[in-house]
Amino acid sequence: MSGMKVGAVIITMGNRPDELRALLDSVAKQDGDRVEVVVVGNGSPVPDVPEGVRTIELPENLGIPGGRNVGIEAFGPSGRDVDILLFLDDDGLLANHETAELCRTAFEADPKLGIISFRIADPDTGVTQRRHVPRLRASDPMRSSRVTTFLGGANAVRTQVFAEVGGLPDEFFYAHEETDLAWRALDAGWMIDYRSDMVLYHPTTAPSRHAVYHRMVARNRVWLARRNLPAPLVPVYLGVWLLLTLVRRPSRPALRAWFGGFREGVTTPCGPRRPMKWRTVWRLTRLGRPPVI
């Protein structure tokens, strides 16, 4: 059995108490040493949780990356009190009791593995949506592979990654914060795996259910490029995503919100700019997703 310590960060708006309790039960049933859990109430009270689960109630909603960063720091600076942190959506459910042990084994076997993206499956149908497979060739969700990004609510991160490259970008609030961290991690030499055998059950949903979806997706896409890409690639990346958005023919209100977010991304501060090395661009390309799409 691996000696790596595992913790878990769950953020909640307090509006899914039954689902949260079921998730916590699935974490408690994990094989191996106990997984220490921190639940962060993101601008809301935390529902009743089992004894031994730590809680933090924030006075305001800091967004997904901000809330998760608070959870990371609850395990010491950059989460150093544990070796691995699981990040799980509060309406998800770990499908199997060996997930934590699989994470320990994977990270111990590969010292350069920094992040693992779990497979998300609908609890009733077992179907994994294409958008939940973090690669361009997403037709076979049962194929594990190296990837260039990960799923925010179903993943495991080696805490050494946070110590080396920092946490999630608070200013993003919602959307693309995972890719920002993934690109920084890859630039520092870490690798990311998608593992189909590590499963989080989660009801099938559409991301556009969030009222701010189109604006923040566009704004953060621009920020992502401005923060991380070499200057020549910034207009290429944004041009490709503009064309893809138009091809998908969103509704007029959605398109208006998207362009508003795009404008906001261009005109507002995006945080520190640390462009990736050109060799990282090549690594991303070899992994199947050049950073222009």
Side-chain angles (χ1 to χ4, degrees):
M1 183 183 295
S2 167
M4 299 187 85
K5 295 181 181 177
V6 180
V9 174
I10 300 164
I11 59 173
T12 183
M13 299 293 290
N15 56 351
R16 294 189 282 232
D18 295 340
E19 291 90 339
L20 174 62
R21 177 58 75 111
L23 171 62
L24 292 171
D25 288 346
S26 74
V27 174
K29 292 174 182 175
Q30 292 299 297
D31 294 342
D33 293 338
R34 177 175 173 270
V35 177
E36 185 180 347
V37 181
V38 170
V39 177
V40 179
N42 216 353
S44 68
V46 175
D48 288 339
V49 297
E51 186 176 351
V53 174
R54 287 192 287 161
T55 62
I56 301 171
E57 294 185 353
L58 302 177
E60 62 177 311
N61 183 354
L62 299 182
I64 293 173
R68 287 186 177 140
N69 283 337
V70 169
I72 294 168
E73 296 301 308
F75 289 92
S78 301
R80 69 183 180 192
D81 294 346
V82 293
D83 303 296
I84 303 163
L85 276 176
L86 311 180
F87 295 86
L88 307 169
D89 276 352
D90 69 341
D91 56 344
L93 183 76
L94 288 174
N96 305 306
H97 55 75
E98 73 270 18
T99 302
E101 275 293 271
L102 288 172
C103 288
R104 292 183 181 102
T105 301
F107 283 118
E108 201 164 63
D110 185 352
K112 295 310 294 179
L113 179 61
I115 302 171
I116 298 173
S117 190
F118 300 167
R119 180 167 63 90
I120 293 179
D122 185 274
D124 297 322
T125 65
V127 170
T128 296
Q129 294 178 271
R130 284 184 66 94
R131 70 184 183 89
H132 285 152
V133 182
R135 59 179 178 238
L136 291 179
R137 294 173 181 170
S139 59
D140 182 9
M142 300 308 294
R143 179 173 66 87
S144 299
S145 69
R146 294 282 201 204
V147 289
T148 62
T149 189
F150 62 99
L151 305 174
N155 68 81
V157 181
R158 190 191 296 265
T159 54
Q160 192 179 341
V161 172
F162 298 127
E164 190 168 335
V165 307
L168 296 155
D170 286 339
E171 53 268 70
F172 278 40
F173 197 84
Y174 164 77
H176 302 318
E177 66 272 4
E178 303 91 354
T179 301
D180 186 89
L181 175 62
W183 282 1
R184 285 183 282 126
L186 288 162
D187 196 47
W190 295 102
M191 300 302 291
I192 305 169
D193 279 355
Y194 166 72
R195 288 282 297 264
S196 65
D197 58 334
M198 301 183 190
V199 181
L200 183 85
Y201 284 146
H202 189 281
T204 299
T205 56
S208 53
R209 69 191 185 280
H210 298 293
V212 296
Y213 172 78
H214 296 287
R215 178 176 71 86
M216 290 198 171
V217 160
R219 183 197 68 182
N220 293 356
R221 183 79 70 184
V222 179
W223 282 357
L224 180 68
R226 289 174 58 197
R227 285 163 59 96
N228 295 288
L229 291 181
L233 293 186
V234 174
V236 179
Y237 179 83
L238 297 179
V240 167
W241 278 102
L242 171 61
L243 287 173
L244 283 173
T245 300
L246 294 174
V247 165
R248 290 169 177 169
R249 301 179 69 181
S251 68
R252 190 177 297 274
L255 195 59
R256 188 161 49 244
W258 193 93
F259 274 109
F262 191 94
R263 190 179 311 110
E264 187 179 346
V266 170
T267 60
T268 57
C270 62
R273 172 168 165 74
R274 299 188 182 96
M276 67 178 64
K277 307 172 191 72
W278 282 104
R279 69 168 176 263
T280 305
V281 173
W282 176 236
R283 281 182 72 204
L284 288 160
T285 302
R286 285 190 293 116
L287 286 168
R289 189 153 197 164
V292 294
I293 187 168

